[in-house]
Amino acid sequence: MAVIGIMSAMHEELAAVLAQMPDEQRVSVAGRDFWVGHWHGHTVVAVLSRIGKVAAATTATVLLERFQVDTLVFTGVAGGLGLNVRVGDVVVATGLVQHDMDASPLFPRHEVPLYGRARFEADATLVAQLASATQQVLGDAERYLGLETLAQFHLSRPQTHQGLVISGDRFVATSAESHVLRQALPDALAVEMEGAAVAQVCHDYGVPFAAVRTISDRADDEAHTDFTRFIREVASRYSLAILSQWLLSRQPV
Ligand code: SAH
């Protein structure tokens, strides 16, 4: 029986997922609550990722070791870096890099020592399935969010992007910082704090991984006063709808 791991970065996202799992059982490991149950006929283990690379890597390792998860999907929010990546868009990562990894001059900048690589790939099949689910959801955003929320957050015609997502132990909240990141990694569409670490763990275990991030901010000086509301009213609804579409489109095995 396949076991799907769902890591949510936000409490609100996890709560929305758990509301879909009528039979979930809580198992506590390493100070984390893992929720084992079913959703659309699939066996699912849902957990809060925790914030930052190490915390998320520990959560992922437990999912793989203790719960024998054989597919891992991460959902959360991220800062938009790509020029056309706007608040309310969704990025499906095709590859992930730790932007704060730098063992130069011993290794090239961003390369993870002893791996011979900076970039960890997301699983191409999962990316295609999740991008398609995302497109369906964003194409019908009004149904999932309501007109009022769309207007309040100035969201119009949200787009699905696929490409590089970068991760580091820093909330990027100045234009100067995001400018530096864009210069160092020009292909990066979005920045967050966990994805590349989880991708590395999944690479070690040979388990397919993908990450879907709703853009909550532009990683710049514009104070995001409504971050919490955005998570509750936009990002967690998108995550839920995307995961639900994706699970429905997969044959339980
Ligand atoms: N206020 C939040 C904390 C969010 S920390 C809380 O109380 O939980 C930031 C989270 O959002 C991390 O999971 C990170 O991956 C993501 N994120 C969103 N925008 C980001 C940005 N501009 N830079 C880095 N991470 C970002």
Side-chain angles (χ1 to χ4, degrees), residues 13-193:
E13 284 182 305
L14 178 65
V17 166
L18 292 181
Q20 306 300 315
M21 295 168 53
D23 62 340
E24 83 273 17
Q25 302 277 333
R26 180 170 59 119
V27 182
S28 295
V29 183
R32 290 146 167 82
D33 289 335
F34 294 80
W35 300 91
V36 185
H38 292 87
W39 186 7
H40 293 320
H42 299 271
T43 304
V44 166
V45 186
V47 63
L48 191 68
S49 66
R50 302 234 185 160
I51 293 173
K53 290 185 299 175
V54 173
T58 301
T59 307
T61 306
V62 174
L63 269 179
L64 297 167
E65 277 285 345
R66 283 280 189 108
F67 297 93
Q68 277 82 46
V69 156
D70 45 34
T71 299
L72 206 166
V73 173
F74 191 108
T75 67
V77 290
L81 284 182
L83 291 179
N84 60 346
V85 178
R86 300 179 309 158
V87 170
D89 286 359
V90 173
V91 173
V92 181
T94 54
L96 301 100
V97 167
Q98 294 179 40
H99 67 72
D100 55 357
M101 174 60 76
D102 189 356
S104 61
L106 299 177
F107 297 91
R109 187 161 179 213
H110 301 132
E111 182 169 312
V112 183
L114 311 185
Y115 282 79
R117 65 170 72 217
R119 180 178 161 123
F120 291 86
E121 302 299 327
D123 180 75
T125 306
L126 284 179
V127 169
Q129 291 171 349
L130 286 160
S132 149
T134 303
Q135 259 155 7
Q136 280 181 47
V137 169
L138 295 189
D140 210 359
E142 190 184 319
R143 180 171 138 218
Y144 295 102
L145 304 188
L147 269 180
E148 205 175 308
T149 302
L150 282 173
Q152 268 168 9
F153 289 97
H154 309 291
L155 308 178
S156 70
R157 304 173 66 81
Q159 302 294 310
T160 307
H161 305 270
Q162 291 183 42
L164 179 66
V165 169
I166 60 176
S167 314
D169 286 320
R170 200 161 69 226
F171 190 85
V172 180
T174 66
S175 304
E177 251 185 293
S178 49
H179 177 73
V180 169
L181 287 177
R182 259 187 227 107
Q183 294 221 305
L185 293 157
D187 295 339
L189 296 181
V191 59
E192 37 85 313
M193 301 177 67

Side-chain angles (χ1 to χ4, degrees), residues 200-218:
Q200 183 178 330
V201 173
C202 288
H203 167 88
D204 287 345
Y205 281 85
V207 167
F209 165 78
V212 181
R213 293 277 187 173
T214 302
I215 301 303
S216 55
D217 59 275
R218 281 285 307 169

